[in-house]
Amino acid sequence: MFPKIRSTLTTLFSLSLAVASPALFAVEEGEQVPDFDLPSIYAGQDNISLASLQGKTLYVDFWASWCAPCLVSLPQYNDLYLKYRDQGLEIIAINVDNPIEDGLDFLEETPLDFPIPADPEGDAAELFGVIGMPSSYLIAPDGEVKLVHMGFRSGDIELIETEIQKVLAEN
Amino acid sequence: MRSLRYCLLLSLLSLAACSQVQPWEMGYLAREEMAFEVDSLESALNDHIFFSKEASSGGSSTTGGGCGCN
């Protein structure tokens, strides 16, 4: 009887710890990008999945309309996209707004040229183990994560551009 | 002894019900209905009355330290 109770309690305790702890499996530099498949935020558009973007240098950004630095970063990412898309750069900015209309309101005022997947339940954010907003990931064509960037301060865009140039030059 | 065990089990079970607000869910906390004050104008007026009566300001929210130095 006693060992049984003890093992149940241990399981319960570890379960509660696992639930309470922050993202334990955050994607880090040097790791492979997790596979995702998300609908576009715009109705009637194709799903956006990792498979459909394979072989390209990919920049994945997580954003929401309530996150002020995200809104500062997006137009700057758009400039980067227009500058480097001919060299094989793809940018996707995953929106985690719930409801997605909050994100759409922003996009109406600030149109962006790259695909915007919608992740209102945070499935992809959980998969990537996002530990702060905004978080972004630079992924080489072979699927290796080259840069994990959190937050967005002035001067960050230059740093990100340099990293993108490096990955584009290597491939 | 048995009731103690049940209490422990219950408290552990309720621990499992705790969950941390994930970074991508922070928007929920920023919603109007999540604010402590229902009416911001009313709370500003209440603050003003309190400040006038007590000759101290601040301390009722995160801003201001309640030092009465205004």
Side-chain angles (χ1 to χ4, degrees):
Chain A
M1 186 69 188
F2 252 35
K4 205 172 183 184
I5 288 181
R6 192 185 286 175
S7 67
T8 319
L9 286 183
T10 318
T11 319
L12 272 174
F13 186 64
S14 26
L15 256 177
S16 56
L17 266 186
V19 171
S21 13
L24 287 169
F25 311 106
V27 170
E28 286 174 17
E29 285 162 24
E31 293 180 3
Q32 283 290 307
V33 60
D35 201 5
F36 59 86
D37 188 358
L38 294 167
S40 170
I41 196 167
Y42 306 111
Q45 286 199 8
D46 290 343
N47 269 29
I48 300 142
S49 64
L50 185 66
S52 65
L53 298 159
Q54 227 146 30
K56 295 201 168 172
T57 300
L58 182 62
Y59 194 76
V60 180
D61 178 52
F62 285 90
W63 72 283
S65 64
W66 45 261
C67 153
C70 304
L71 306 187
V72 174
S73 71
L74 287 169
Q76 300 189 32
Y77 288 150
N78 206 46
D79 293 341
L80 276 188
Y81 177 65
L82 296 177
K83 196 169 166 186
Y84 294 105
R85 69 172 163 187
D86 293 338
Q87 295 175 45
L89 176 70
E90 275 293 338
I91 295 183
I92 62 165
I94 301 175
N95 177 261
V96 295
D97 270 305
N98 191 355
I100 59 167
E101 282 73 19
D102 293 349
L104 281 169
D105 284 346
F106 170 76
L107 292 171
E108 233 170 71
E109 286 167 29
T110 318
L112 300 169
D113 295 296
F114 45 78
I116 315 284
D119 186 21
E121 301 303 326
D123 298 332
E126 205 168 344
L127 211 60
F128 275 79
V130 170
I131 48 173
M133 294 285 291
S135 275
S136 49
Y137 304 83
L138 175 63
I139 298 145
D142 62 0
E144 190 189 330
V145 177
K146 290 287 187 187
L147 174 77
V148 178
H149 189 85
M150 200 168 66
F152 196 83
R153 292 162 211 89
S154 57
D156 281 9
I157 197 74
E158 285 85 8
L159 196 145
I160 292 164
E161 187 173 0
T162 315
E163 290 300 317
I164 288 176
Q165 283 170 341
K166 256 193 239 169
V167 177
L168 284 173
E170 281 168 12
N171 296 283
Chain B
M1 189 62 192
R2 177 172 274 193
S3 60
L4 186 76
R5 239 182 256 158
Y6 277 124
C7 275
L8 197 69
L9 191 74
L10 260 178
S11 56
L12 275 171
L13 272 174
S14 55
L15 236 185
C18 298
S19 80
Q20 202 173 6
V21 179
Q22 298 296 343
W24 55 90
E25 297 169 335
M26 293 291 188
Y28 296 128
L29 302 182
R31 285 191 189 168
E32 209 177 305
E33 59 264 35
M34 294 296 275
F36 284 114
E37 306 289 353
V38 181
D39 184 345
S40 59
L41 180 65
E42 189 191 324
S43 71
L45 286 171
N46 281 342
D47 269 359
H48 186 74
I49 294 166
F50 183 79
F51 152 75
S52 310
K53 280 184 169 177
E54 305 289 333
S56 68
S57 71
S60 58
S61 67
T62 47
T63 51
C67 61
C69 39
N70 279 347

